[in-house]
Amino acid sequence: MMSTLLEAFRMVLQTDVIIAIVLSSIYGLVVGSLPGLSATMATALLVPVTFYLSPIAAIATIISASAMAIFSGDIPGALLRIPGTPASAAYTDEAYAMTRKGQPELALGICVWFSALGGIAGTLSLMALAPPLAEMALQFSTFEYFWLAFLGLMCATMVARSSPVKAIASMLIGLLVSCVGIENPAGTPRFTFGLTDLLSGIEPIPALVGVFAVSEVMRAMLTPEPPKLPYRRFGSILAGQLALTKQYVAPQVRGNIVGIIIGVLPGAGADMAAWVSYSMSKRFSKEPEKFGTGHPEGLIEAGASNNASLASGWVPSLLFGIPGDTITAIAIGVLYMKGLNPGPTLFTERASSMYALYIIFIIANIIMIPLGILMIRIAAMVLRAPRAAVMPVIIVLCAVGAFATGNNLFAVLTVAAFGAIGYVMERFGYPFAAMVLGIVMGTMVEQNFVTSLIKSDGSILPFFNRPVAAVLAAMTIAALLWPAAAWIASLLSAKRVPKAGAA
Amino acid sequence: MLADRLTGLFMVVLGALAAWGGSRLPPVPGQQIGPEVFPMVVGIGLVLCGALIALGVGHQFEEEAEADLAKITSEFEADQGLSHQDMPLWRQAFVLVPPLLLVFYYLAVDRIGFLPTAAVIVFCASLALGGRVRLALPMAIAAPLFVNMIFVKLLRVPLPSGFLPLPWIGLP
């Protein structure tokens, strides 16, 4: 234990890892603060860079860039009322109201301080949850893995902020995409349409770059340029934060716990955590009437929640290869490339790497405070960068980055196609995070489904009569039936309302 | 709702095609479960979901979520006096610029090299986003050189040099 910990410190304190943490933190802060560039996009564009780093440095860049980007999305939210990342959208109004009251320092201070605390709470949950779950997961067979993967897919559709039917449809499209190629248990080429480039299947990373980066650039083509941020002098950013920490203990704890739970749920990430926490905060608050007028409570709870979800999103990703959110969906690809294949054995055989990962999380959340304050002070300058200068570079980076993942030009076409698909889906209300999950997990679902069926000789009984499998199956079926139940309930209540009105 | 009808029907067709395509895959001799099972399951699922969407099931969930978001985004767009609904059709077609530029990259990069291709992409995209030539032109020169420096020098990605061999920036 002690020697593993020392080994982990030795791994993190390498020069290349430290440089990677600092540079990717700055990158994350800048990308996150620019409206229209999300934390997931920051991660996706980092992937080609991680190829050329050591495994620990590669993970460090992803962790620090994503943590910083989730925080710095709050900056334009508070100062301009435009969320820098979707994760900040839930409480943008609240933060902006504080700025209008003349307290921008307080709003931004809350964002940076409670983001860091939330991130650390999330890391602690990762440290506490992962090892015992790994112990349990060592006994899983393909039946359990099938249900787990299926449950993961269902969770993603349940928590999507959209129609559950559309979310399931998106997820199925993702699964269909993962069918392409010869990477299936039978090794038969499927849906390749005679193209050799499709034989190896559709690579997840170019597809994710398209969905998260190109579709954002496409959206920027039709939306107006955000207004320029006026230069202003800020007072002390951290003043009064300790008092707030003491005053609002319950919202913080609640925010952290909700964030951790939502992070662990597959597919649901920081943006979902922020929405849920903000509305929970309002419901449980003693002074709900103050919400929306620049009241710190909701900001504290939701700001902590979205950063907490970031770390706990790694729990299912590291243990089962099931992404906890869209950022870890990309990170899983990097883990495989770096020989850190997700699975319970990661915690027994590569324990030092896992400790290193925890340490990086803690470091990233601590340096978030000084770097974040610096970023707040120069935000007016960074946000002055016109979109017409930033977005074109992103297109080039998408092309080069996709090419670099396999020195294959076909990947560039994949990026273009998935950019268009992502844009169309978003426009018609299909949550593309569900599709991404389908793409990433498709092979795993099919592999475990088919091997289980072959093992049981076509019988479905073993899917239910192993104890853990039975529990997972029950949860999955409940998740599947939940939208139907909710729909019927809403139909019934809709019928009752006009009657009551008539009476 | 018309959009839901259309996209729902599209899902039905896509699912049916997937299930049909899957069913035509050759089975593995001696095994009941072949490569056809998974696409068929997914395809049938898509047909069901598509039908439900076309019938408008689950639409009210979307309205709730949209109401939350609309509070933030629509007011901002209204402030700017711009919403893409009332843009002329040719202006809305700008949305296709990014994917088309990527297709251009695919077609051109091996023939004319990375630097000119990237310069064209940056220039066009910058203009499409409303940038002036005064901004787009220097960007078109500086950004490709910058990307080239990172990817060729630091990351050693073999980007094609085309007709601009510049050994001093790492191109052969």
Side-chain angles (χ1 to χ4, degrees), chain A residues 52 89 161 166 190 388 430 490, chain B residues 4 7 35 60 68 72 126 155:
Chain A
Y52 303 90
R161 297 186 54 76
K166 281 189 176 175
R190 289 192 304 207
Y430 290 82
S490 75
Chain B
D4 276 2
T7 53
Q60 79 268 23
D68 279 349
I72 291 165
S126 186
L155 305 179

Side-chain angles (χ1 to χ4, degrees), chain A residues 52 81 89 161 163 166 172-173 176 186 188 190 218 221-222 388-389 391 400 403 409 423 428 430 446 490, chain B residues 3-4 7 25 35 38 42 45 58 60 62 65 68 72 75 87 91 95 106 110 114 126 129 139 151 155 157:
Chain A
Y52 303 90
R81 197 162 176 267
R161 297 186 54 76
S163 138
K166 281 189 176 175
L172 289 171
I173 290 179
L176 201 58
T188 316
R190 289 192 304 207
M218 290 172 77
M221 290 282 165
L222 296 187
M391 294 291 186
V400 180
F403 171 73
L409 260 185
Y423 177 80
F428 292 111
Y430 290 82
E446 178 175 16
S490 75
Chain B
D4 276 2
T7 53
L25 289 169
F38 196 64
V42 173
Q60 79 268 23
E62 255 174 282
D68 279 349
I72 291 165
E75 270 179 47
M87 278 181 185
R91 182 63 186 75
V95 80
Y106 172 76
D110 274 339
F114 171 73
S126 186
L129 279 158
M139 279 304 297
F151 278 85
L155 305 179
V157 176

Side-chain angles (χ1 to χ4, degrees), chain A residues 253-273:
Chain A
V253 172
R254 206 163 46 217
N256 286 336
I257 292 175
V258 168
I260 289 164
I261 294 173
I262 289 180
V264 172
L265 289 183
D271 36 347
M272 190 66 202

Side-chain angles (χ1 to χ4, degrees), chain A residues 45-286:
Chain A
L45 292 179
L46 261 183
V47 173
V49 179
T50 61
F51 283 9
Y52 303 90
L53 300 174
S54 69
I56 297 298
I59 296 172
T61 55
I62 292 182
I63 291 174
S64 28
S66 59
M68 300 294 162
I70 292 287
F71 148 68
S72 85
D74 300 349
I75 299 176
L79 299 178
L80 288 171
R81 197 162 176 267
I82 305 164
T85 63
S88 310
Y91 49 86
T92 293
D93 263 352
E94 193 78 52
Y96 185 68
M98 286 178 99
T99 304
R100 243 184 341 207
K101 282 203 310 199
Q103 303 171 315
E105 294 90 359
L106 186 64
L108 290 165
I110 290 176
C111 293
V112 68
W113 177 247
F114 291 97
S115 287
L117 290 187
I120 291 173
T123 313
L124 294 178
S125 80
L126 173 64
M127 288 156 72
L129 283 175
L133 279 175
E135 201 85 353
M136 207 168 99
L138 278 173
Q139 285 144 34
F140 283 11
S141 73
T142 53
F143 298 104
E144 281 85 9
Y145 270 107
F146 165 72
W147 283 117
L148 211 57
F150 195 13
L151 182 64
L153 291 172
M154 290 321 299
C155 279
T157 61
M158 243 171 77
V159 295
R161 297 186 54 76
S162 171
S163 138
V165 190
K166 281 189 176 175
I168 294 176
S170 311
M171 184 261 294
L172 289 171
I173 290 179
L175 290 181
L176 201 58
V177 169
S178 78
C179 284
V180 175
I182 97 174
E183 293 267 326
N184 53 65
T188 316
R190 289 192 304 207
F191 306 121
T192 55
F193 307 103
L195 295 170
T196 35
D197 283 313
L198 283 178
L199 267 183
S200 58
I202 291 173
E203 295 287 333
I205 287 177
L208 299 194
V209 169
V211 169
F212 291 113
V214 177
S215 72
E216 289 293 346
V217 181
M218 290 172 77
R219 210 163 302 129
M221 290 282 165
L222 296 187
T223 49
E225 173 112 25
K228 293 280 165 273
L229 190 65
Y231 287 107
R232 70 165 92 215
R233 292 197 141 271
F234 289 109
S236 167
I237 304 271
L238 287 181
Q241 297 306 330
L242 272 179
L244 282 175
T245 317
K246 280 185 204 137
Q247 193 185 344
Y248 293 108
V249 174
Q252 258 185 81
V253 172
R254 206 163 46 217
N256 286 336
I257 292 175
V258 168
I260 289 164
I261 294 173
I262 289 180
V264 172
L265 289 183
D271 36 347
M272 190 66 202
W275 283 104
V276 173
S277 280
Y278 185 75
S279 60
M280 264 184 88
S281 180
K282 195 169 175 180
R283 197 167 304 154
F284 286 103
S285 172
K286 286 189 196 107

Side-chain angles (χ1 to χ4, degrees), chain A residues 1-9 11-12 56 127 131 318 340 343-359:
Chain A
M1 166 76 192
M2 207 53 217
S3 62
T4 345
L5 198 61
L6 283 177
E7 167 73 9
F9 270 107
M11 287 164 106
V12 175
I56 297 298
M127 288 156 72
L318 290 170
L340 290 168
T345 48
L346 208 54
F347 290 84
T348 49
E349 281 159 28
R350 306 290 294 266
S352 54
S353 297
M354 292 303 103
Y355 282 118
L357 194 142
Y358 306 149
I359 296 168

Side-chain angles (χ1 to χ4, degrees), chain A residues 45 48-49 52 80-83 89-93 161-166 168-170 172-173 175-176 178-179 184 186 188-191 197 214 217-227 275 386-393 395-401 403-404 407 409-410 412-413 415-417 420 423 427-430 442 445-446 449-450 453-454 457-458 482-483 486-487 490-491, chain B residues 3-4 7-8 11 14 17-18 21-22 25-26 28 31-39 41-43 45-46 49-50 52-53 56-62 64-65 68-69 71-72 75-77 79-80 82-85 87 91-99 101-103 105-106 109-110 114 118 121-122 125-126 128-131 135 139 143 146-147 150-151 154-160:
Chain A
L45 292 179
V49 179
Y52 303 90
L80 288 171
R81 197 162 176 267
I82 305 164
Y91 49 86
T92 293
D93 263 352
R161 297 186 54 76
S162 171
S163 138
V165 190
K166 281 189 176 175
I168 294 176
S170 311
L172 289 171
I173 290 179
L175 290 181
L176 201 58
S178 78
C179 284
N184 53 65
T188 316
R190 289 192 304 207
F191 306 121
D197 283 313
V214 177
V217 181
M218 290 172 77
R219 210 163 302 129
M221 290 282 165
L222 296 187
T223 49
E225 173 112 25
W275 283 104
R387 245 180 10 180
V390 177
M391 294 291 186
V393 182
I395 300 181
V396 173
L397 285 177
C398 288
V400 180
F403 171 73
N407 285 356
L409 260 185
F410 186 74
V412 181
L413 285 188
V415 172
Y423 177 80
R427 183 107 186 233
F428 292 111
Y430 290 82
V445 174
E446 178 175 16
F449 178 56
V450 172
L453 274 179
I454 292 174
D457 227 357
W482 173 84
W487 180 60
S490 75
L491 271 192
Chain B
D4 276 2
T7 53
M11 299 281 165
L14 184 70
L17 283 177
L25 289 169
V28 178
Q31 241 175 45
Q32 294 168 304
I33 316 294
E36 76 284 359
V37 175
F38 196 64
V41 172
V42 173
L46 257 183
C49 283
L52 287 175
I53 291 166
V57 173
H59 193 74
Q60 79 268 23
F61 288 94
E62 255 174 282
E64 287 163 21
D68 279 349
L69 255 187
K71 258 198 328 206
I72 291 165
E75 270 179 47
F76 165 66
E77 276 174 15
D79 284 350
Q80 299 286 303
L82 258 177
S83 155
H84 56 75
Q85 259 82 20
M87 278 181 185
R91 182 63 186 75
Q92 287 198 30
F94 271 32
V95 80
L96 291 173
V97 168
L101 286 176
L102 286 169
V103 174
Y105 182 94
Y106 172 76
V109 75
D110 274 339
F114 171 73
I121 291 176
V122 172
S126 186
L129 279 158
L135 171 73
M139 279 304 297
F146 172 70
V147 174
I150 294 182
F151 278 85
L154 293 176
L155 305 179
R156 305 194 182 282
V157 176
L159 294 176

Side-chain angles (χ1 to χ4, degrees), chain A residues 319-409:
Chain A
L319 276 174
F320 310 115
I322 298 176
D325 55 18
T326 47
I327 293 167
T328 44
I330 300 167
I332 286 177
V334 175
L335 286 174
Y336 273 115
M337 257 167 348
K338 290 291 165 195
L340 290 168
N341 293 12
T345 48
L346 208 54
F347 290 84
T348 49
E349 281 159 28
R350 306 290 294 266
S352 54
S353 297
M354 292 303 103
Y355 282 118
L357 194 142
Y358 306 149
I359 296 168
I360 292 166
F361 253 114
I362 303 270
I363 292 179
N365 280 298
I366 291 173
I367 63 169
M368 178 190 283
I369 297 174
L371 286 178
I373 292 174
L374 198 69
M375 179 67 203
I376 292 170
R377 297 205 182 273
I378 61 164
M381 231 160 68
V382 173
L383 288 176
R384 211 150 276 263
R387 245 180 10 180
V390 177
M391 294 291 186
V393 182
I394 288 185
I395 300 181
V396 173
L397 285 177
C398 288
V400 180
F403 171 73
T405 53
N407 285 356
N408 176 5
L409 260 185

